Amino acid sequence: MKKKVSVLDMKKMKQEGKKFTMVTAYDYTSASIVDSSTAELILVGDSLGMVMLGYDSTTGVTMEEMIHHIRPVVKGAPNTFIVGDMPFGSYNVSVEEAIKNSNRIMKEAGCDCIKLEGGVEFADTIEAIVKAGIPVMAHLGLTPQTTAQLGGFKVQGKDLKTAQKLIKDIKAVAKAGAFAAVVECVPSKVAKLMSESVDIPIIGIGAGPDVDAQVLVTQDMMGMYDKFTPKFVKKYSNIRDIMIKAYDEFNEEVKEGSFPSPEYSFNINVEGIE
Ligand code: KIV
């Protein structure tokens, strides 16, 4: 059985050049499957809004929805480090509100840390949450909660000015005490520089190979979500087709009468009933 990694283990893995992975899960069964794998971290991301709840974006996800989904993941994966995402609106009103909502996610859901989107502008908030005793994972680059401001789901840091801002962002969140950062949709060379600028692990998604860890959304990598597949997603399976085939087979067998066969029935003689 694998041993749950700690924040210190992740820092050590970066120092030793050992890569690790994070995948998403939003329910007990999926979490227990990840727990049986070698993946070190689970992210209960607000991507659940899109892949589990059918929303068009992540901005509508609420604190209650996050807590509702993080709780069963914590139960299902006792040997995996669990990251709980802070939904949009839960940390951008005031530092006090951010600490209050981080406390809620940690206490009511029981995860190991919180994740929030933002760089320099959120350094004070990160510092305050860390001072309150809560480990923080930052999220930079393409920040899905603010795609309206970014002009859509676009690669970030494509010119010198925005690339330099990303370097400032990663340094600011590391200085503020974030123990790791997700870096999404950034040119590989910029992501490499970001990783080299700090001693905290960078967990890339669409950020190339020269970072310290990688994260993918389960529904994307398993070929379950069919609305949109970003360029950076490798499909490691095609669960959607496998499930459709199984549902079709079940339906066909029921219609033709071959299921349930005696093997799947309770063939007990009940006295008085022929
Ligand atoms: O919510 C999420 O799943 C994420 C990943 C895209 C990193 O933030």
Side-chain angles (χ1 to χ4, degrees):
M1 194 194 295
K2 73 183 175 192
K3 190 176 160 281
K4 183 168 175 162
V5 296
S6 69
V7 162
L8 294 179
D9 292 330
M10 286 179 238
K11 201 167 184 182
K12 193 159 167 257
M13 282 191 268
K14 173 170 179 134
Q15 282 162 359
E16 293 173 353
K18 288 185 186 152
K19 302 221 172 174
F20 58 94
T21 60
M22 175 162 85
V23 295
T24 63
Y26 317 97
D27 65 274
Y28 175 85
T29 303
S30 314
S32 75
I33 295 171
V34 181
D35 207 47
S36 300
S37 80
T38 51
E40 287 88 352
L41 274 71
I42 289 180
L43 167 64
V44 189
D46 61 356
S47 50
L48 75 84
M50 295 170 83
V51 300
M52 297 297 287
L53 306 176
Y55 300 167
D56 290 331
S57 78
T58 58
T59 40
V61 175
T62 64
M63 280 290 294
E64 280 63 34
E65 285 166 341
M66 286 310 308
I67 291 167
H68 179 79
H69 284 269
I70 298 168
R71 209 179 268 149
V73 170
V74 170
K75 275 198 178 289
N79 303 307
T80 310
F81 187 95
I82 318 280
V83 182
D85 227 352
M86 295 283 281
F88 183 67
S90 66
Y91 57 93
N92 60 0
V93 176
S94 66
V95 169
E96 287 71 28
E97 189 92 343
I99 296 176
K100 198 176 110 208
N101 284 323
S102 304
N103 279 336
R104 273 198 72 192
I105 297 243
M106 296 294 286
K107 285 175 71 149
E108 293 177 40
C111 52
D112 298 298
C113 79
I114 60 103
K115 174 169 88 59
L116 58 81
E117 297 181 6
V120 173
E121 299 76 10
F122 281 89
D124 289 349
T125 306
I126 292 173
E127 195 175 334
I129 299 172
V130 173
K131 272 196 186 136
I134 298 168
V136 176
M137 180 181 283
H139 185 152
L140 303 171
L142 172 58
T143 43
Q145 290 175 3
T146 46
T147 43
Q149 255 180 352
L150 300 175
F153 287 85
K154 290 187 175 146
V155 179
Q156 303 297 304
K158 285 203 292 186
D159 56 56
L160 186 61
K161 196 168 158 226
T162 52
Q164 282 170 340
K165 167 72 166 65
L166 285 172
I167 306 288
K168 270 193 194 145
D169 281 337
I170 192 66
K171 285 184 178 169
V173 300
K175 189 161 173 259
F179 75 89
V182 166
V183 171
E184 180 166 356
C185 267
V186 165
S188 306
K189 283 185 179 169
V190 177
K192 180 174 186 276
L193 264 178
M194 290 173 81
S195 174
E196 287 166 356
S197 305
V198 290
D199 62 359
I200 62 168
I202 303 296
I203 307 172
I205 176 162
D210 298 317
V211 289
D212 311 295
Q214 297 288 332
V215 52
L216 283 175
V217 170
T218 286
Q219 275 71 2
D220 289 337
M221 68 179 285
M222 294 300 176
M224 297 166 88
Y225 185 71
D226 69 340
K227 275 201 172 159
F228 171 68
T229 307
K231 173 183 159 61
F232 55 76
V233 170
K234 177 173 174 186
K235 286 194 181 174
Y236 284 86
S237 190
N238 207 334
I239 302 289
R240 188 180 181 88
D241 286 351
I242 292 170
M243 288 178 77
I244 292 171
K245 192 167 167 281
Y247 291 136
D248 286 348
E249 210 173 305
F250 170 52
N251 194 333
E252 201 181 306
E253 286 188 5
V254 168
K255 286 195 164 83
E256 72 180 21
S258 63
F259 182 85
S261 58
E263 190 189 350
Y264 299 103
S265 308
F266 299 102
N267 310 301
I268 303 165
N269 285 327
V270 179
E271 224 172 284
I273 292 183
E274 277 310 306

